[in-house]
Amino acid sequence: SDNHKEKCVEFCIQQFQEQGRAFFLLMPNYVAAKSYFRTLLNDKGCMDDVAYVVPTNPYEYDHPEGTGHEIPPFNSLWFVGIGKEKIRLMQDTWKQETGGARFVTSLDELEKLSVISMQKRPNPKQRKKKRRLQIQEGVAPSSTKPNKQQKDSSSSGVQSAASKKSKKKSRYRDDKGKRTKKRF
């Protein structure tokens, strides 16, 4: 469904409020910047009951052959619903530890650390124009996702970690990549 992340967060917050069940959700970082998430926390009055753990290294996910991206287009973030008192306790304990993941207690702090962006993403036409202007000015585009020309023109013989994965063929696709068996 289109709103499964929203329903998951809503369910966890409801269980936390009604039954005191803590939750630890690993979700894309952009969920924290979504209006439904902020509205839900404000409406339920539990903005201070949720903290966030930012991993030091980005998580990588494996997808079945031919689905998804080889490298995730987002970073993951742990949403930790444990309550105000336990958050204060964790914050004090976490500060004593050195290195490792960051324990963040607010959305503002996530934004200051550049983990999330509260700015609206430009539409594809605006992003393309921005990339074109950056190339004209001699500045490397800020996009981490290379476009087709950049992929084709890479003359480096060294393969990235993502492209080193085995190129095993899917048993449900033909040589041209067209699906041979219906999914459902």
Side-chain angles (χ1 to χ4, degrees):
S1 72
D2 289 343
N3 60 350
H4 64 280
K5 292 178 194 81
E6 184 177 353
K7 286 182 177 181
C8 182
V9 171
E10 189 173 351
F11 174 79
C12 289
I13 290 174
Q14 180 183 0
Q15 292 295 306
F16 176 75
Q17 287 186 322
E18 292 176 3
Q19 298 178 9
R21 288 186 181 162
F23 62 88
F24 298 83
L25 296 173
L26 179 63
M27 298 176 54
N29 62 350
Y30 63 80
V31 172
K34 293 288 187 180
S35 62
Y36 68 78
F37 179 72
R38 293 188 315 269
T39 303
L40 184 63
L41 290 181
N42 280 331
D43 290 350
K44 299 283 185 175
C46 61
M47 187 67 85
D48 296 333
D49 291 329
V50 179
Y52 312 91
V53 175
V54 183
T56 52
N57 298 322
Y59 293 145
E60 293 183 12
Y61 304 95
D62 289 331
H63 297 279
E65 186 68 31
T67 62
H69 299 273
E70 287 192 25
I71 298 172
F74 56 84
N75 289 322
S76 298
L77 181 66
W78 285 98
F79 293 71
V80 182
I82 54 177
K84 297 172 192 139
E85 297 80 24
K86 289 183 181 173
I87 287 175
R88 281 190 215 108
L89 241 162
M90 282 294 298
Q91 199 172 16
D92 295 339
T93 307
W94 208 280
K95 285 180 182 177
Q96 293 172 1
E97 301 290 325
T98 56
R102 292 185 189 158
F103 188 76
V104 181
T105 59
S106 71
L107 293 172
D108 292 334
E109 196 176 345
L110 282 175
E111 189 174 17
K112 286 176 188 170
L113 293 171
S114 298
V115 175
I116 62 171
S117 174
M118 295 295 200
Q119 293 179 348
K120 199 170 184 181
R121 182 179 183 197
N123 66 39
K125 190 174 181 180
Q126 291 168 331
R127 294 193 306 265
K128 185 176 181 179
K129 182 179 179 181
K130 182 180 177 184
R131 279 193 304 270
R132 190 174 56 242
L133 289 173
Q134 287 175 334
I135 290 171
Q136 287 174 354
E137 294 172 359
V139 177
S142 59
S143 173
T144 57
K145 188 172 144 181
N147 62 25
K148 190 175 187 327
Q149 290 175 340
Q150 290 171 330
K151 284 181 185 176
D152 294 341
S153 66
S154 64
S155 59
S156 171
V158 180
Q159 291 181 331
S160 68
S163 64
K164 286 183 182 178
K165 289 184 179 181
S166 66
K167 298 290 181 181
K168 189 171 93 173
K169 290 185 178 181
S170 171
R171 61 182 169 186
Y172 300 114
R173 295 189 182 270
D174 62 14
D175 292 337
K176 296 178 184 175
K178 187 174 180 181
R179 183 169 284 284
T180 58
K181 182 180 177 184
K182 290 189 176 184
R183 293 185 87 172
F184 303 104

